[in-house]
Amino acid sequence: MTYETNTNKYKLLIVDDDAANLKVLNHILKDEYKLFMAKSGSAAVKTAEKVRPDLILLDILMPDMDGFEVLGVLQKSDLTRGIPVIFITGLSQSEHEDKGLALGAVDYIKKPFDRVEVMARVGRQLGVDK
């Protein structure tokens, strides 16, 4: 996909059950990317299949399906298998990071969010210098 600043923006799916986290990430990313939001794992899977985002930012701890389960479902579908996933988490234990990377996540972003870090990690996955 070619990135053009004003016409074809990369599509990001942001998944978090906390509205405040969605709001912060929306504020950080809205000017550069086309954003889709989901507040649950099941909604994330449906949205990913429908809009086919270029990148998914996925929370680990959610009530219906955790992020690890969502990643597993996405990887089993022909529609969503190749979409890179960055986990977003407030968890500090390295075993969660290790597990996510072993399951196929491409990166991690820790909460609370730092604008420069979010933009850099998202841009790196999409091949966009920000």
Side-chain angles (χ1 to χ4, degrees):
M1 171 182 262
T2 302
Y3 180 81
E4 297 177 33
T5 305
N6 294 323
T7 56
N8 296 323
K9 292 184 177 183
Y10 282 113
K11 297 180 289 186
L12 303 183
L13 171 57
I14 303 172
V15 185
D16 199 312
D17 61 318
D18 185 328
N21 289 330
L22 292 174
K23 185 176 180 179
V24 169
L25 288 170
N26 179 65
H27 179 72
I28 292 170
L29 297 163
K30 68 181 178 184
D31 292 335
E32 300 295 328
Y33 302 102
K34 184 170 183 173
L35 304 179
F36 299 87
M37 307 285 181
K39 292 185 78 173
S40 70
S42 56
V45 171
K46 288 177 187 172
T47 303
E49 289 175 345
K50 181 179 177 182
V51 303
R52 310 278 295 277
D54 298 296
L55 179 67
I56 298 172
L57 303 181
L58 178 60
D59 188 23
I60 293 176
L61 296 180
M62 294 182 292
D64 68 332
M65 297 171 67
D66 70 27
F68 300 129
E69 292 172 296
V70 173
L71 180 58
V73 172
L74 294 172
Q75 290 177 332
K76 290 178 184 171
S77 169
D78 289 338
L79 294 174
T80 57
R81 179 177 297 123
I83 302 170
V85 172
I86 296 177
F87 275 121
I88 52 176
T89 185
L91 299 172
S92 60
Q93 298 92 343
S94 64
E95 67 263 12
H96 290 100
E97 187 172 337
D98 294 343
K99 180 178 180 180
L101 294 172
L103 290 173
V106 296
D107 205 350
Y108 262 82
I109 298 174
K110 303 250 184 199
K111 299 174 189 176
F113 301 114
D114 174 80
R115 183 186 191 290
V116 172
E117 178 186 14
V118 170
M119 291 300 289
R121 291 181 185 271
V122 168
R124 184 177 315 119
Q125 289 306 318
L126 296 171
V128 178
D129 292 326
K130 291 287 167 205

